[in-house]
Amino acid sequence: MKLERVLQFTRSLMKKAIEPGDIAIDGTVGNGYDTVFLATLVGEAGHVFGFDVQDVAIKTTKERLRESHLLDRVTLYAHGHERLARTIDEKFTGKITAAVFNLGYLPGSDKTITTTPITTIAAIEQLLDIMAAGGIIVLVVYHGHEEGARERDALLKYVSQIDQEFAHVLQYQFVNQQNNPPFILAIEKK
Ligand code: SAH
């Protein structure tokens, strides 16, 4: 298939947004694959800040980063991304060029621990405030479960009303697939 799948498209956007030396955010580190990818893109001079409310996610990701010799360019926080602006030092304001959020619950883990509209939108608002012009936020929306469907509706409503003078907002979605596959919402700050 020539059309990029959701994971590929997310990575293409991250590659476009991030230059060596940049600051990137993993809003939901989960099993850590995106954290590793972001850490590779920011290079030795850059840095990644990662968030997850589950200790198991932080632990798995730390191990994965250590194995890839990338731990020194990543800081992980075992608390919610809704505390992002209070957590990341002001000296990084205007230097964040990319952020990724894989929403929903972590497969194979506690399905009741899932991202929620209020906290996800809080994180996006904070990011839009502190990130660089031209920075991109990618939200991978998993809406096949009940809370996910609620989050999808709230997010679509929220991102649709972001002023077009302030940001470009894109929805990337295969529309003829069964079983509610994930789709992307990408926000590029002007
Ligand atoms: N649905 C995706 C994986 C999502 S993982 C897939 O199938 O591939 C989502 C992660 O977000 C989980 O590890 C969960 O612990 C974390 N999470 C939930 N609420 C959060 C919050 N407020 N801040 C940061 N991470 C959160």
Side-chain angles (χ1 to χ4, degrees):
M1 184 165 80
K2 297 192 186 70
L3 298 175
E4 285 187 309
R5 291 171 199 281
V6 160
L7 178 69
Q8 290 170 324
F9 190 64
T10 301
R11 296 201 160 182
S12 296
L13 291 174
M14 293 293 107
K15 269 192 208 159
K16 269 192 197 146
I18 299 172
E19 300 285 339
D22 285 353
I23 306 296
I25 309 282
D26 191 342
T28 54
V29 301
N31 50 31
Y33 294 113
D34 282 338
T35 324
V36 167
F37 185 71
L38 294 174
T40 309
L41 291 178
V42 299
E44 259 177 71
H47 206 79
V48 177
F49 295 99
F51 296 83
D52 205 292
V53 291
Q54 291 188 77
D55 288 335
V56 60
I58 299 294
K59 200 166 160 249
T60 311
T61 300
K62 198 168 266 179
E63 203 42 55
R64 204 179 293 291
L65 289 163
R66 190 174 289 123
E67 279 166 14
S68 315
H69 307 287
L70 293 167
L71 196 53
D72 55 340
R73 45 179 106 157
V74 179
T75 307
L76 297 172
Y77 297 101
H79 63 237
H81 44 230
E82 62 278 11
R83 285 164 60 188
L84 197 143
R86 271 183 286 162
T87 306
I88 297 174
D89 196 287
E90 267 180 34
K91 72 178 180 206
F92 298 115
T93 298
K95 298 200 166 69
I96 301 164
T97 56
V100 62
F101 292 75
N102 277 292
L103 303 176
Y105 59 82
L106 188 60
S109 179
D110 185 345
K111 290 189 181 175
T112 65
I113 304 177
T114 173
T115 53
T116 62
I118 290 177
T119 43
T120 302
I121 291 170
I124 299 169
E125 299 234 278
Q126 292 168 32
L127 266 173
L128 284 174
D129 199 30
I130 64 173
M131 80 192 306
I136 297 183
I137 303 172
V138 176
L139 307 160
V140 187
V141 184
Y142 287 79
H143 56 118
H145 59 118
E146 209 175 303
E147 182 58 35
R150 255 199 297 277
E151 187 168 41
R152 171 199 63 209
D153 294 344
L155 281 175
L156 283 171
K157 192 168 165 209
Y158 166 71
V159 299
S160 308
Q161 57 73 47
I162 295 176
D163 188 344
Q164 64 174 331
E165 298 301 322
F166 183 67
H168 305 282
V169 182
L170 169 84
Q171 182 170 358
Y172 184 83
Q173 180 171 25
F174 290 92
V175 294
N176 66 337
Q177 293 179 354
Q178 304 301 312
N179 301 325
N180 306 315
F183 66 89
I184 287 174
L185 293 172
I187 308 169
E188 178 177 336
K189 180 174 171 178
K190 283 196 179 176

